[in-house]
Short mmCIF file of all heavy atoms in Angstrom, two decimals:
data_model
loop_
_atom_site.label_atom_id
_atom_site.label_comp_id
_atom_site.label_asym_id
_atom_site.label_seq_id
_atom_site.Cartn_x
_atom_site.Cartn_y
_atom_site.Cartn_z
N VAL A 846 30.79 57.84 38.69
CA VAL A 846 31.25 58.95 39.50
C VAL A 846 30.09 59.89 39.79
O VAL A 846 29.93 60.35 40.91
CB VAL A 846 32.39 59.72 38.80
CG1 VAL A 846 32.76 60.96 39.56
CG2 VAL A 846 33.58 58.82 38.61
N VAL A 847 29.27 60.18 38.81
CA VAL A 847 28.16 61.12 38.98
C VAL A 847 27.13 60.58 39.97
O VAL A 847 26.54 61.34 40.73
CB VAL A 847 27.50 61.44 37.62
CG1 VAL A 847 26.26 62.28 37.79
CG2 VAL A 847 28.50 62.14 36.72
N SER A 848 26.93 59.27 40.00
CA SER A 848 25.91 58.70 40.88
C SER A 848 26.18 59.00 42.35
O SER A 848 25.25 59.06 43.14
CB SER A 848 25.79 57.20 40.65
OG SER A 848 26.99 56.55 41.01
N GLY A 849 27.41 59.21 42.74
CA GLY A 849 27.73 59.53 44.13
C GLY A 849 27.48 60.98 44.49
O GLY A 849 27.58 61.37 45.64
N ALA A 850 27.11 61.78 43.52
CA ALA A 850 26.92 63.22 43.74
C ALA A 850 25.45 63.64 43.60
O ALA A 850 25.16 64.79 43.32
CB ALA A 850 27.77 64.00 42.75
N GLU A 851 24.52 62.72 43.83
CA GLU A 851 23.12 63.00 43.60
C GLU A 851 22.61 64.21 44.37
O GLU A 851 21.91 65.05 43.82
CB GLU A 851 22.27 61.78 43.92
CG GLU A 851 22.42 60.69 42.89
CD GLU A 851 21.47 59.54 43.09
OE1 GLU A 851 20.47 59.70 43.82
OE2 GLU A 851 21.71 58.50 42.48
N GLN A 852 22.95 64.33 45.65
CA GLN A 852 22.46 65.44 46.45
C GLN A 852 23.01 66.77 45.92
O GLN A 852 22.29 67.76 45.83
CB GLN A 852 22.84 65.27 47.92
CG GLN A 852 22.24 66.34 48.80
CD GLN A 852 22.50 66.11 50.27
OE1 GLN A 852 23.20 65.18 50.65
NE2 GLN A 852 21.96 66.96 51.10
N ILE A 853 24.28 66.78 45.53
CA ILE A 853 24.87 68.01 44.97
C ILE A 853 24.21 68.38 43.66
O ILE A 853 23.88 69.55 43.43
CB ILE A 853 26.39 67.83 44.79
CG1 ILE A 853 27.07 67.74 46.16
CG2 ILE A 853 26.99 68.95 43.95
CD1 ILE A 853 28.52 67.33 46.12
N LEU A 854 23.97 67.41 42.79
CA LEU A 854 23.34 67.68 41.50
C LEU A 854 21.91 68.18 41.68
O LEU A 854 21.44 69.01 40.91
CB LEU A 854 23.34 66.42 40.63
CG LEU A 854 24.71 65.94 40.18
CD1 LEU A 854 24.58 64.61 39.46
CD2 LEU A 854 25.39 66.96 39.31
N ASP A 855 21.25 67.70 42.70
CA ASP A 855 19.86 68.08 42.93
C ASP A 855 19.70 69.41 43.65
O ASP A 855 18.72 70.10 43.45
CB ASP A 855 19.16 66.97 43.71
CG ASP A 855 17.66 67.05 43.60
OD1 ASP A 855 17.15 67.38 42.51
OD2 ASP A 855 16.99 66.80 44.61
N THR A 856 20.69 69.80 44.48
CA THR A 856 20.53 71.02 45.27
C THR A 856 21.43 72.17 44.80
O THR A 856 20.95 73.26 44.54
CB THR A 856 20.80 70.75 46.76
OG1 THR A 856 22.10 70.21 46.91
CG2 THR A 856 19.78 69.80 47.34
N ILE A 857 22.71 71.93 44.66
CA ILE A 857 23.65 72.98 44.27
C ILE A 857 23.64 73.21 42.76
O ILE A 857 23.80 74.32 42.29
CB ILE A 857 25.07 72.66 44.79
CG1 ILE A 857 25.03 72.63 46.31
CG2 ILE A 857 26.08 73.67 44.27
CD1 ILE A 857 26.30 72.16 46.96
N ARG A 858 23.47 72.12 41.99
CA ARG A 858 23.35 72.16 40.54
C ARG A 858 24.54 72.82 39.85
O ARG A 858 24.42 73.81 39.13
CB ARG A 858 22.04 72.83 40.14
CG ARG A 858 20.85 72.11 40.80
CD ARG A 858 19.52 72.50 40.35
NE ARG A 858 19.31 72.59 38.94
CZ ARG A 858 19.17 71.56 38.09
NH1 ARG A 858 19.25 70.32 38.55
NH2 ARG A 858 18.95 71.76 36.83
N PRO A 859 25.73 72.26 40.03
CA PRO A 859 26.92 72.84 39.40
C PRO A 859 26.95 72.59 37.89
O PRO A 859 26.29 71.70 37.37
CB PRO A 859 28.06 72.07 40.07
CG PRO A 859 27.47 70.73 40.35
CD PRO A 859 26.04 71.02 40.74
N ARG A 860 27.75 73.39 37.21
CA ARG A 860 28.06 73.10 35.81
C ARG A 860 29.04 71.93 35.82
O ARG A 860 29.87 71.82 36.71
CB ARG A 860 28.70 74.30 35.14
CG ARG A 860 27.76 75.44 35.00
CD ARG A 860 28.45 76.60 34.36
NE ARG A 860 27.51 77.71 34.25
CZ ARG A 860 27.87 78.93 33.98
NH1 ARG A 860 29.15 79.24 33.82
NH2 ARG A 860 26.98 79.87 33.89
N ILE A 861 28.95 71.08 34.79
CA ILE A 861 29.78 69.87 34.75
C ILE A 861 30.48 69.78 33.40
O ILE A 861 29.87 69.98 32.35
CB ILE A 861 28.93 68.61 34.97
CG1 ILE A 861 28.21 68.70 36.32
CG2 ILE A 861 29.79 67.36 34.90
CD1 ILE A 861 27.16 67.64 36.50
N TYR A 862 31.76 69.44 33.44
CA TYR A 862 32.57 69.18 32.24
C TYR A 862 32.82 67.67 32.22
O TYR A 862 33.38 67.12 33.17
CB TYR A 862 33.89 69.93 32.36
CG TYR A 862 34.89 69.67 31.26
CD1 TYR A 862 34.96 70.51 30.16
CD2 TYR A 862 35.77 68.61 31.35
CE1 TYR A 862 35.89 70.29 29.16
CE2 TYR A 862 36.69 68.37 30.35
CZ TYR A 862 36.75 69.21 29.26
OH TYR A 862 37.67 68.99 28.27
N LEU A 863 32.37 67.00 31.16
CA LEU A 863 32.53 65.54 31.07
C LEU A 863 33.37 65.15 29.87
O LEU A 863 33.10 65.58 28.75
CB LEU A 863 31.16 64.86 30.92
CG LEU A 863 30.21 64.85 32.09
CD1 LEU A 863 28.89 64.21 31.66
CD2 LEU A 863 30.79 64.12 33.26
N GLU A 864 34.37 64.34 30.10
CA GLU A 864 35.11 63.68 29.02
C GLU A 864 34.48 62.31 28.86
O GLU A 864 34.42 61.54 29.82
CB GLU A 864 36.59 63.52 29.39
CG GLU A 864 37.37 64.79 29.41
CD GLU A 864 37.80 65.26 28.03
OE1 GLU A 864 37.72 64.49 27.05
OE2 GLU A 864 38.23 66.42 27.93
N LEU A 865 33.99 62.01 27.67
CA LEU A 865 33.34 60.73 27.42
C LEU A 865 34.30 59.77 26.72
O LEU A 865 35.03 60.17 25.82
CB LEU A 865 32.08 60.93 26.58
CG LEU A 865 31.05 61.89 27.16
CD1 LEU A 865 29.88 62.06 26.19
CD2 LEU A 865 30.56 61.44 28.51
N HIS A 866 34.26 58.50 27.15
CA HIS A 866 35.19 57.52 26.62
C HIS A 866 34.50 56.25 26.14
O HIS A 866 35.09 55.17 26.18
CB HIS A 866 36.26 57.17 27.66
CG HIS A 866 37.04 58.36 28.10
ND1 HIS A 866 38.04 58.92 27.34
CD2 HIS A 866 36.95 59.12 29.21
CE1 HIS A 866 38.55 59.97 27.97
NE2 HIS A 866 37.90 60.12 29.10
N GLY A 867 33.26 56.35 25.72
CA GLY A 867 32.59 55.17 25.20
C GLY A 867 31.08 55.29 25.30
O GLY A 867 30.53 56.23 25.86
N ARG A 868 30.41 54.28 24.75
CA ARG A 868 28.94 54.29 24.70
C ARG A 868 28.30 54.29 26.08
O ARG A 868 27.27 54.93 26.28
CB ARG A 868 28.45 53.11 23.88
CG ARG A 868 28.78 53.24 22.42
CD ARG A 868 27.98 52.24 21.59
NE ARG A 868 28.37 52.29 20.20
CZ ARG A 868 27.89 53.16 19.32
NH1 ARG A 868 27.03 54.06 19.70
NH2 ARG A 868 28.28 53.13 18.07
N ASP A 869 28.87 53.59 27.03
CA ASP A 869 28.31 53.57 28.38
C ASP A 869 28.31 54.97 28.99
O ASP A 869 27.35 55.38 29.66
CB ASP A 869 29.08 52.62 29.30
CG ASP A 869 28.87 51.16 28.94
OD1 ASP A 869 27.90 50.86 28.22
OD2 ASP A 869 29.68 50.33 29.38
N GLU A 870 29.37 55.71 28.75
CA GLU A 870 29.45 57.07 29.27
C GLU A 870 28.51 58.02 28.51
O GLU A 870 27.97 58.95 29.11
CB GLU A 870 30.89 57.56 29.26
CG GLU A 870 31.74 56.80 30.26
CD GLU A 870 33.19 57.23 30.26
OE1 GLU A 870 33.55 58.20 29.55
OE2 GLU A 870 33.97 56.60 30.99
N GLN A 871 28.31 57.77 27.23
CA GLN A 871 27.33 58.55 26.47
C GLN A 871 25.94 58.34 27.06
O GLN A 871 25.18 59.29 27.24
CB GLN A 871 27.33 58.14 24.99
CG GLN A 871 28.53 58.64 24.22
CD GLN A 871 28.52 58.08 22.82
OE1 GLN A 871 28.73 56.89 22.63
NE2 GLN A 871 28.29 58.94 21.84
N GLU A 872 25.61 57.12 27.36
CA GLU A 872 24.32 56.79 27.97
C GLU A 872 24.19 57.45 29.34
O GLU A 872 23.14 58.03 29.66
CB GLU A 872 24.16 55.27 28.11
CG GLU A 872 22.90 54.83 28.82
CD GLU A 872 21.62 55.10 28.04
OE1 GLU A 872 21.65 55.12 26.80
OE2 GLU A 872 20.58 55.29 28.69
N ALA A 873 25.24 57.40 30.14
CA ALA A 873 25.22 58.01 31.48
C ALA A 873 25.03 59.53 31.38
O ALA A 873 24.30 60.12 32.18
CB ALA A 873 26.49 57.68 32.24
N ALA A 874 25.65 60.17 30.41
CA ALA A 874 25.50 61.62 30.23
C ALA A 874 24.07 61.96 29.85
O ALA A 874 23.49 62.92 30.36
CB ALA A 874 26.47 62.12 29.15
N TRP A 875 23.46 61.16 28.99
CA TRP A 875 22.08 61.38 28.60
C TRP A 875 21.15 61.21 29.80
O TRP A 875 20.25 62.03 30.02
CB TRP A 875 21.70 60.41 27.47
CG TRP A 875 20.32 60.64 26.95
CD1 TRP A 875 19.92 61.63 26.10
CD2 TRP A 875 19.17 59.86 27.24
NE1 TRP A 875 18.58 61.51 25.86
CE2 TRP A 875 18.09 60.43 26.54
CE3 TRP A 875 18.95 58.74 28.03
CZ2 TRP A 875 16.81 59.91 26.60
CZ3 TRP A 875 17.67 58.22 28.08
CH2 TRP A 875 16.61 58.80 27.38
N GLN A 876 21.39 60.17 30.60
CA GLN A 876 20.59 59.93 31.80
C GLN A 876 20.73 61.09 32.79
O GLN A 876 19.75 61.51 33.42
CB GLN A 876 20.98 58.61 32.47
CG GLN A 876 20.65 57.38 31.67
CD GLN A 876 19.16 57.15 31.53
OE1 GLN A 876 18.37 57.56 32.36
NE2 GLN A 876 18.78 56.50 30.45
N LEU A 877 21.95 61.60 32.95
CA LEU A 877 22.18 62.74 33.83
C LEU A 877 21.34 63.94 33.39
O LEU A 877 20.68 64.58 34.21
CB LEU A 877 23.66 63.13 33.83
CG LEU A 877 23.98 64.43 34.57
CD1 LEU A 877 24.98 64.16 35.67
CD2 LEU A 877 24.49 65.49 33.64
N GLY A 878 21.36 64.22 32.11
CA GLY A 878 20.59 65.34 31.59
C GLY A 878 19.10 65.20 31.86
O GLY A 878 18.44 66.16 32.26
N LYS A 879 18.59 64.02 31.67
CA LYS A 879 17.16 63.78 31.88
C LYS A 879 16.80 63.79 33.36
O LYS A 879 15.84 64.43 33.77
CB LYS A 879 16.74 62.45 31.25
CG LYS A 879 16.86 62.41 29.76
CD LYS A 879 15.95 63.45 29.13
CE LYS A 879 16.09 63.47 27.63
NZ LYS A 879 15.46 64.61 27.03
N LYS A 880 17.55 63.08 34.16
CA LYS A 880 17.20 62.93 35.58
C LYS A 880 17.31 64.23 36.36
O LYS A 880 16.47 64.53 37.20
CB LYS A 880 18.10 61.87 36.21
CG LYS A 880 17.77 61.59 37.66
CD LYS A 880 18.59 60.44 38.22
CE LYS A 880 18.20 60.15 39.65
NZ LYS A 880 18.95 59.02 40.20
N TYR A 881 18.36 65.01 36.08
CA TYR A 881 18.62 66.22 36.88
C TYR A 881 18.30 67.51 36.12
O TYR A 881 18.62 68.58 36.59
CB TYR A 881 20.07 66.22 37.36
CG TYR A 881 20.33 65.09 38.30
CD1 TYR A 881 21.00 63.96 37.89
CD2 TYR A 881 19.86 65.13 39.62
CE1 TYR A 881 21.22 62.90 38.74
CE2 TYR A 881 20.07 64.07 40.48
CZ TYR A 881 20.75 62.96 40.04
OH TYR A 881 20.96 61.90 40.89
N ASN A 882 17.67 67.38 34.96
CA ASN A 882 17.26 68.54 34.18
C ASN A 882 18.46 69.42 33.80
O ASN A 882 18.50 70.62 34.08
CB ASN A 882 16.19 69.35 34.92
CG ASN A 882 15.38 70.22 34.00
OD1 ASN A 882 15.25 69.93 32.82
ND2 ASN A 882 14.84 71.30 34.53
N TYR A 883 19.45 68.80 33.17
CA TYR A 883 20.64 69.50 32.69
C TYR A 883 20.58 69.64 31.18
O TYR A 883 20.09 68.76 30.48
CB TYR A 883 21.91 68.73 33.07
CG TYR A 883 22.50 69.12 34.39
CD1 TYR A 883 21.89 68.76 35.59
CD2 TYR A 883 23.66 69.87 34.46
CE1 TYR A 883 22.44 69.13 36.81
CE2 TYR A 883 24.23 70.24 35.67
CZ TYR A 883 23.60 69.87 36.84
OH TYR A 883 24.15 70.24 38.04
N GLU A 884 21.07 70.75 30.69
CA GLU A 884 21.21 71.00 29.26
C GLU A 884 22.60 70.54 28.85
O GLU A 884 23.59 70.88 29.50
CB GLU A 884 21.05 72.50 29.03
CG GLU A 884 21.07 72.91 27.60
CD GLU A 884 20.84 74.41 27.51
OE1 GLU A 884 19.67 74.82 27.55
OE2 GLU A 884 21.84 75.14 27.40
N LEU A 885 22.71 69.78 27.78
CA LEU A 885 23.98 69.24 27.31
C LEU A 885 24.44 70.01 26.08
O LEU A 885 23.68 70.23 25.15
CB LEU A 885 23.82 67.75 26.98
CG LEU A 885 23.20 66.89 28.08
CD1 LEU A 885 23.02 65.46 27.60
CD2 LEU A 885 24.01 66.93 29.35
N ARG A 886 25.72 70.41 26.10
CA ARG A 886 26.28 71.19 24.99
C ARG A 886 27.67 70.67 24.62
O ARG A 886 28.37 70.13 25.46
CB ARG A 886 26.36 72.67 25.36
CG ARG A 886 25.00 73.29 25.59
CD ARG A 886 25.07 74.79 25.70
NE ARG A 886 23.74 75.35 25.70
CZ ARG A 886 23.08 75.75 24.61
NH1 ARG A 886 23.66 75.66 23.44
NH2 ARG A 886 21.87 76.25 24.70
N ASP A 887 28.05 70.90 23.36
CA ASP A 887 29.41 70.58 22.96
C ASP A 887 30.31 71.76 23.33
O ASP A 887 29.85 72.79 23.83
CB ASP A 887 29.50 70.21 21.47
CG ASP A 887 29.15 71.35 20.53
OD1 ASP A 887 29.08 72.53 20.97
OD2 ASP A 887 28.92 71.07 19.34
N ILE A 888 31.60 71.65 23.08
CA ILE A 888 32.57 72.66 23.49
C ILE A 888 32.34 74.00 22.77
O ILE A 888 32.67 75.06 23.29
CB ILE A 888 34.02 72.15 23.28
CG1 ILE A 888 35.02 72.98 24.05
CG2 ILE A 888 34.37 72.09 21.81
CD1 ILE A 888 35.03 72.73 25.52
N ALA A 889 31.69 73.98 21.60
CA ALA A 889 31.38 75.21 20.86
C ALA A 889 30.09 75.87 21.35
O ALA A 889 29.74 76.95 20.90
CB ALA A 889 31.27 74.90 19.37
N GLY A 890 29.37 75.18 22.25
CA GLY A 890 28.15 75.75 22.80
C GLY A 890 26.87 75.28 22.11
O GLY A 890 25.79 75.74 22.45
N ASN A 891 27.00 74.36 21.16
CA ASN A 891 25.82 73.83 20.48
C ASN A 891 25.08 72.85 21.37
O ASN A 891 25.70 71.98 21.99
CB ASN A 891 26.22 73.12 19.18
CG ASN A 891 26.94 74.04 18.24
OD1 ASN A 891 26.46 75.11 17.92
ND2 ASN A 891 28.13 73.64 17.83
N GLU A 892 23.76 72.97 21.44
CA GLU A 892 22.98 72.07 22.27
C GLU A 892 22.98 70.66 21.69
O GLU A 892 22.85 70.48 20.48
CB GLU A 892 21.54 72.57 22.39
CG GLU A 892 20.75 71.80 23.42
CD GLU A 892 19.40 72.42 23.74
OE1 GLU A 892 19.11 73.52 23.26
OE2 GLU A 892 18.65 71.77 24.48
N ILE A 893 23.15 69.69 22.55
CA ILE A 893 23.16 68.28 22.16
C ILE A 893 21.92 67.63 22.78
O ILE A 893 21.83 67.49 24.00
CB ILE A 893 24.44 67.56 22.66
CG1 ILE A 893 25.70 68.29 22.17
CG2 ILE A 893 24.42 66.10 22.24
CD1 ILE A 893 25.87 68.36 20.68
N ASP A 894 20.97 67.26 21.94
CA ASP A 894 19.75 66.65 22.46
C ASP A 894 19.98 65.24 22.98
O ASP A 894 19.41 64.85 23.99
CB ASP A 894 18.67 66.61 21.38
CG ASP A 894 18.18 68.00 21.01
OD1 ASP A 894 18.07 68.86 21.93
OD2 ASP A 894 17.90 68.23 19.83
N ASP A 895 20.81 64.48 22.27
CA ASP A 895 21.05 63.08 22.65
C ASP A 895 22.49 62.72 22.36
O ASP A 895 22.85 62.47 21.21
CB ASP A 895 20.09 62.17 21.88
CG ASP A 895 20.14 60.74 22.35
OD1 ASP A 895 21.06 60.37 23.11
OD2 ASP A 895 19.25 59.97 21.96
N PRO A 896 23.35 62.69 23.39
CA PRO A 896 24.77 62.36 23.16
C PRO A 896 24.99 60.92 22.73
O PRO A 896 26.09 60.56 22.36
CB PRO A 896 25.42 62.66 24.51
CG PRO A 896 24.33 62.49 25.50
CD PRO A 896 23.08 62.94 24.80
N ARG A 897 23.94 60.11 22.76
CA ARG A 897 24.07 58.72 22.29
C ARG A 897 24.02 58.67 20.77
O ARG A 897 24.49 57.71 20.17
CB ARG A 897 22.95 57.86 22.87
CG ARG A 897 22.93 57.85 24.39
CD ARG A 897 21.67 57.23 24.92
NE ARG A 897 20.51 57.92 24.38
CZ ARG A 897 19.26 57.51 24.52
NH1 ARG A 897 18.99 56.41 25.19
NH2 ARG A 897 18.26 58.19 23.99
N ALA A 898 23.45 59.70 20.14
CA ALA A 898 23.26 59.70 18.69
C ALA A 898 24.52 60.10 17.93
O ALA A 898 24.74 59.64 16.81
CB ALA A 898 22.11 60.63 18.32
N ILE A 899 25.33 60.98 18.52
CA ILE A 899 26.57 61.41 17.88
C ILE A 899 27.67 61.45 18.93
O ILE A 899 27.40 61.60 20.12
CB ILE A 899 26.43 62.81 17.23
CG1 ILE A 899 26.03 63.86 18.26
CG2 ILE A 899 25.45 62.79 16.08
CD1 ILE A 899 26.08 65.28 17.75
N TRP A 900 28.90 61.32 18.47
CA TRP A 900 30.02 61.35 19.41
C TRP A 900 30.36 62.80 19.74
O TRP A 900 30.67 63.59 18.84
CB TRP A 900 31.24 60.65 18.83
CG TRP A 900 32.37 60.66 19.81
CD1 TRP A 900 33.47 61.44 19.79
CD2 TRP A 900 32.46 59.87 20.98
NE1 TRP A 900 34.25 61.19 20.88
CE2 TRP A 900 33.66 60.22 21.63
CE3 TRP A 900 31.66 58.89 21.56
CZ2 TRP A 900 34.07 59.63 22.82
CZ3 TRP A 900 32.07 58.31 22.74
CH2 TRP A 900 33.27 58.69 23.35
N VAL A 901 30.28 63.15 21.01
CA VAL A 901 30.62 64.48 21.48
C VAL A 901 31.47 64.33 22.74
O VAL A 901 31.03 63.74 23.72
CB VAL A 901 29.35 65.31 21.84
CG1 VAL A 901 29.75 66.69 22.33
CG2 VAL A 901 28.43 65.41 20.65
N SER A 902 32.67 64.85 22.69
CA SER A 902 33.52 64.85 23.88
C SER A 902 34.54 65.96 23.70
O SER A 902 35.18 66.05 22.66
CB SER A 902 34.23 63.52 24.04
OG SER A 902 34.94 63.48 25.26
N PRO A 903 34.65 66.84 24.66
CA PRO A 903 33.97 66.84 25.94
C PRO A 903 32.52 67.33 25.81
O PRO A 903 32.13 67.90 24.80
CB PRO A 903 34.77 67.83 26.79
CG PRO A 903 35.35 68.77 25.80
CD PRO A 903 35.61 67.95 24.56
N LEU A 904 31.77 67.09 26.87
CA LEU A 904 30.38 67.49 26.94
C LEU A 904 30.24 68.43 28.12
O LEU A 904 30.72 68.15 29.22
CB LEU A 904 29.51 66.25 27.14
CG LEU A 904 28.02 66.40 26.99
CD1 LEU A 904 27.67 66.78 25.55
CD2 LEU A 904 27.33 65.11 27.35
N LEU A 905 29.60 69.58 27.88
CA LEU A 905 29.36 70.55 28.93
C LEU A 905 27.92 70.43 29.39
O LEU A 905 27.01 70.40 28.56
CB LEU A 905 29.65 71.96 28.42
CG LEU A 905 31.02 72.15 27.77
CD1 LEU A 905 31.13 73.54 27.17
CD2 LEU A 905 32.12 71.92 28.78
N CYS A 906 27.70 70.35 30.68
CA CYS A 906 26.36 70.15 31.24
C CYS A 906 26.00 71.35 32.10
O CYS A 906 26.69 71.66 33.06
CB CYS A 906 26.33 68.88 32.09
SG CYS A 906 26.99 67.43 31.24
N TYR A 907 24.92 72.01 31.71
CA TYR A 907 24.47 73.21 32.42
C TYR A 907 23.11 72.93 33.04
O TYR A 907 22.21 72.42 32.36
CB TYR A 907 24.32 74.39 31.44
CG TYR A 907 25.63 74.83 30.84
CD1 TYR A 907 26.03 74.36 29.59
CD2 TYR A 907 26.47 75.69 31.53
CE1 TYR A 907 27.23 74.77 29.03
CE2 TYR A 907 27.67 76.11 30.97
CZ TYR A 907 28.04 75.64 29.73
OH TYR A 907 29.23 76.04 29.18
N PRO A 908 22.93 73.31 34.30
CA PRO A 908 21.61 73.10 34.91
C PRO A 908 20.59 74.03 34.27
O PRO A 908 20.87 75.21 34.05
CB PRO A 908 21.83 73.46 36.38
CG PRO A 908 23.03 74.33 36.40
CD PRO A 908 23.87 73.94 35.22
N GLU A 909 19.44 73.47 33.92
CA GLU A 909 18.36 74.30 33.39
C GLU A 909 17.70 75.01 34.57
O GLU A 909 17.70 74.50 35.69
CB GLU A 909 17.35 73.45 32.63
CG GLU A 909 17.95 72.87 31.36
CD GLU A 909 16.94 72.05 30.57
OE1 GLU A 909 15.81 71.85 31.03
OE2 GLU A 909 17.32 71.60 29.49
N LYS A 910 17.13 76.15 34.31
CA LYS A 910 16.45 76.90 35.37
C LYS A 910 15.20 76.16 35.80
O LYS A 910 14.47 75.63 34.97
CB LYS A 910 16.11 78.29 34.88
CG LYS A 910 17.34 79.14 34.68
CD LYS A 910 16.93 80.56 34.36
CE LYS A 910 18.05 81.49 34.46
NZ LYS A 910 18.97 81.78 33.66
N ARG A 911 14.98 76.12 37.09
CA ARG A 911 13.77 75.50 37.61
C ARG A 911 12.67 76.55 37.72
O ARG A 911 12.92 77.68 38.07
CB ARG A 911 14.04 74.91 38.99
CG ARG A 911 14.98 73.75 38.91
CD ARG A 911 15.10 73.10 40.25
NE ARG A 911 15.94 71.91 40.10
CZ ARG A 911 16.36 71.19 41.10
NH1 ARG A 911 16.03 71.51 42.32
NH2 ARG A 911 17.11 70.13 40.89
N MET A 912 11.48 76.15 37.41
CA MET A 912 10.33 77.07 37.48
C MET A 912 9.73 77.04 38.86
O MET A 912 9.68 76.14 39.53
CB MET A 912 9.27 76.66 36.46
CG MET A 912 9.82 76.58 35.07
SD MET A 912 9.56 78.15 34.29
CE MET A 912 10.43 77.93 32.80
#
């Protein structure tokens, strides 16, 4: 689903709420964070460096500020 929104992620940079349902989605969330420079957090606001390492759902994705 996220792959169809590349232009929006790159220009508008919305906040994203993701429900993850397996390892493939954990990998996709990590790739999203890296590719589009998003910060990943759990529902309590704790930063998640790698959602593949621990199970976190839902995952909140915040765009990092561009310099």
Side-chain angles (χ1 to χ4, degrees):
V846 174
V847 174
S848 64
E851 288 187 16
Q852 186 175 4
I853 291 170
L854 294 174
D855 199 38
T856 57
I857 297 173
R858 304 189 47 75
R860 293 179 181 166
I861 302 169
Y862 175 95
L863 291 176
E864 289 280 347
L865 303 177
H866 301 283
R868 292 194 185 276
D869 291 342
E870 292 179 5
Q871 286 174 291
E872 176 69 28
W875 184 77
Q876 293 293 333
L877 172 122
K879 295 298 178 192
K880 183 174 182 179
Y881 296 103
N882 201 25
Y883 269 73
E884 184 177 278
L885 308 176
R886 296 191 171 268
D887 65 14
I888 197 75
N891 301 307
E892 189 170 353
I893 305 298
D894 292 323
D895 188 347
R897 302 168 304 171
I899 58 171
W900 182 256
V901 180
S902 186
L904 191 65
L905 308 174
C906 309
Y907 295 96
E909 293 182 355
K910 291 187 167 82
R911 293 186 175 173
M912 305 267 173

